[in-house]
Amino acid sequence: EVQLVESGGGLVQAGGSLRLSCAASGLTIDTHAIGWFRQAPGKEREAVSCLRTDGGISSADFVKGRFIISANNAKNTMYLQMNNLKPEDTAVYYCAAERTCTGTVEWVDYWGKGTLVTVSA
């Protein structure tokens, strides 16, 4: 059984930082495209950043220069370092695994349950 377990969410002031983790079991993260989506209240789920199987990264424009995705293959864990957080970054952040970084909710094979990030003004 594949499980993706997120951690690291919480409440932070604008301009602050958080580091999210996604621990995977039942799959090897270096054989999948693995990344993050987020869903803000009343909005659709959107792609944030994704690690491709070739080692490259696909990221949304709104996080470039602020969020850094990385992985520790030995720990089978992926991370999202989020810096200079803004109130509009408030959302539930979901870990996701798919065959390639499509950025499309419908193509995701596995989801975590999510971790809430709240950024206060």
Side-chain angles (χ1 to χ4, degrees):
E1 179 187 7
V2 174
Q3 285 191 319
L4 303 174
V5 180
E6 303 96 335
S7 61
L11 174 64
V12 65
Q13 289 187 330
S17 298
L18 282 174
R19 188 193 195 207
L20 305 183
S21 299
C22 171
S25 60
L27 64 76
T28 305
I29 62 172
D30 61 357
T31 63
H32 286 73
I34 190 161
W36 297 91
F37 285 71
R38 71 183 186 184
Q39 187 165 18
K43 295 188 176 181
E44 294 185 350
R45 196 170 296 190
E46 62 181 354
V48 176
S49 191
C50 181
L51 278 171
R52 302 195 300 264
T53 53
D54 64 1
I57 294 172
S58 298
S59 292
D61 288 342
F62 58 77
V63 302
K64 287 181 179 178
R66 298 191 299 129
F67 293 6
I68 302 169
I69 191 171
S70 63
N72 184 325
N73 292 335
K75 294 184 177 181
N76 214 33
T77 300
M78 177 190 59
Y79 307 96
L80 186 68
Q81 177 67 43
M82 304 188 295
N83 301 319
N84 190 23
L85 282 160
K86 304 175 182 181
E88 52 264 41
D89 293 319
T90 294
V92 178
Y93 284 71
Y94 296 91
C95 181
E98 51 185 324
R99 296 183 182 184
T100 185
C101 293
T102 64
T104 304
V105 169
E106 291 76 13
W107 286 94
V108 171
D109 293 320
Y110 304 103
W111 291 101
K113 293 183 178 180
T115 185
L116 177 63
V117 172
T118 304
V119 184
S120 62

